[in-house]
Amino acid sequence: MTRLRRASKQPVGIAFLRGGLLVAAVSGRWARVPLPADAVRPSPTEENLAAPAEAARALRAGLRQLGMSPARRGDAVLVLPDRAVHAGLGAPFGPGRGGPSLRRLRAGLIAGLGGRSGAMDEGELGARFRFGTLLSGSFRRRTALGAVSGSRVVRQYEAVAEAAGLAVRWVDAASLSVLPEWLAATASGSRVLLLLHRSHFVVAAASGGVLSRFRMKLRAALDPAPPLQAVRLLPDAEAPVEIRGAGSAELAEALDHLGYAVEAPAEANGAEPEGLPPIEGAALQALLARVGARPVPPAPRPHADGGSG
């Protein structure tokens, strides 16, 4: 008698963009489903999705494009826009002193949220808090990068995935989710990473595997001046600069003219293969690569040491 093989469930990556959704499978296949330009309005304290039901329909359409039937859909990892979170870098700490540093960082981030929303308390945030902490460097010297978002913000994104029959494994922000892999490559020296979005950018610096700088700042559409200035203000002018994202070619040329060692994508506009947005695509790849690397938490927890989400 022939036994029917049960279809294995596959994790799904979902990135929420201003103009649509990116849906990715671990096989490497992608689907991009358009949404109205104002469908996603990033904020760490206010609801982000103008039409959650429409976003859920788009997600289901993307899953169908990937040939993922309900029986094959596994856990979901969600990539939120950077500006849907409030992030910060903690002070360096040595062995055995991580707990107080992490608590101070999280308390500061939560206080920043509460000051803007006026209705957020730690208990409410803790109920939906899925952003963890990135521990960088050796055991003797580490730093912590944390991020928080309002409970109604995270819950709104999660509800879209759940409406498509997906259980959410974890949530992360686009630029934060690519940092663990990048940081692992900095153990042998100093490096700078620039992640360029159209209206904001992220600059991170690390030396010997220790994250020493992290800034997320606004910029006018593709204006190279603010990220250029951010790099020039870093203390280590000899560190190679890796650039990813919108407008990377122009910024790479300007930094090269100033004598910096620059690593930029071969594509002139910084786009990834198949026309994927440069940072969101990498974020989905990074998160899907880590599926199975950590257990599913029994309940949402305020910290998940060792990862950024």
Side-chain angles (χ1 to χ4, degrees):
M1 181 177 179
T2 302
R3 298 183 62 182
L4 296 177
R5 296 181 64 186
R6 180 179 297 177
S8 61
K9 291 182 178 292
Q10 298 183 17
V12 179
I14 307 160
F16 292 82
L17 315 177
R18 283 185 178 272
L21 296 179
L22 279 181
V23 188
V26 291
S27 63
R29 298 185 62 204
W30 301 81
R32 183 170 184 175
V33 187
L35 287 171
D38 60 348
V40 182
R41 297 171 293 195
S43 165
T45 56
E46 304 297 330
E47 292 186 352
N48 285 203
L49 304 179
E54 187 173 349
R57 285 194 294 271
L59 175 55
R60 288 192 290 268
L63 292 170
R64 288 194 297 270
Q65 289 181 35
L66 294 175
M68 299 191 71
S69 65
R72 296 184 61 199
R73 299 171 189 174
D75 293 340
V77 293
L78 309 184
V79 172
L80 274 55
D82 287 343
R83 293 168 66 188
V85 308
H86 181 44
L89 184 65
F93 58 88
R97 293 183 293 168
S101 180
L102 299 184
R103 287 194 292 271
R104 285 194 297 270
L105 174 61
R106 182 169 183 258
L109 293 174
I110 291 173
L113 274 184
R116 285 181 288 170
S117 69
M120 189 69 59
D121 60 38
E122 186 166 350
E124 182 187 8
L125 181 63
R128 301 305 304 172
F129 184 73
R130 290 182 183 269
F131 293 92
T133 302
L134 172 66
L135 296 178
S136 64
S138 68
F139 177 72
R140 295 194 174 277
R141 186 171 177 81
R142 297 187 290 181
T143 49
L145 176 67
V148 297
S149 192
S151 59
R152 58 182 173 178
V153 172
V154 179
R155 180 58 192 152
Q156 193 178 35
Y157 285 105
E158 289 179 332
V160 171
E162 292 164 359
L166 301 169
V168 176
R169 171 74 70 93
W170 69 83
V171 182
D172 213 330
S175 293
L176 300 186
S177 62
V178 304
L179 285 176
E181 284 77 12
W182 174 79
L183 193 65
T186 69
S188 59
S190 300
R191 295 183 67 86
V192 174
L193 177 65
L194 270 178
L195 300 174
L196 304 175
H197 300 261
R198 294 193 64 86
S199 59
H200 76 281
F201 70 95
V202 170
V203 58
S207 180
V210 176
L211 193 65
S212 57
R213 295 284 192 281
F214 174 85
R215 294 291 301 278
M216 187 184 298
K217 300 188 67 176
L218 295 174
R219 64 169 178 162
L222 298 182
D223 182 1
L228 181 65
Q229 181 67 6
V231 173
R232 296 184 68 178
L233 289 175
L234 294 174
D236 190 353
E238 303 297 321
V241 182
E242 180 181 349
I243 308 174
R244 307 180 194 175
S248 59
E250 182 180 359
L251 188 59
E253 183 178 352
L255 287 170
D256 181 69
H257 181 72
L258 292 172
Y260 285 87
V262 179
E263 301 173 8
E267 294 85 359
N269 63 354
E272 290 184 350
E274 302 180 36
L276 297 176
I279 296 167
E280 286 81 3
L284 279 177
Q285 289 175 321
L287 288 181
L288 284 172
R290 295 201 293 271
V291 169
R294 69 184 94 169
V296 180
R301 296 181 299 178
H303 291 297
D305 291 355
S308 65

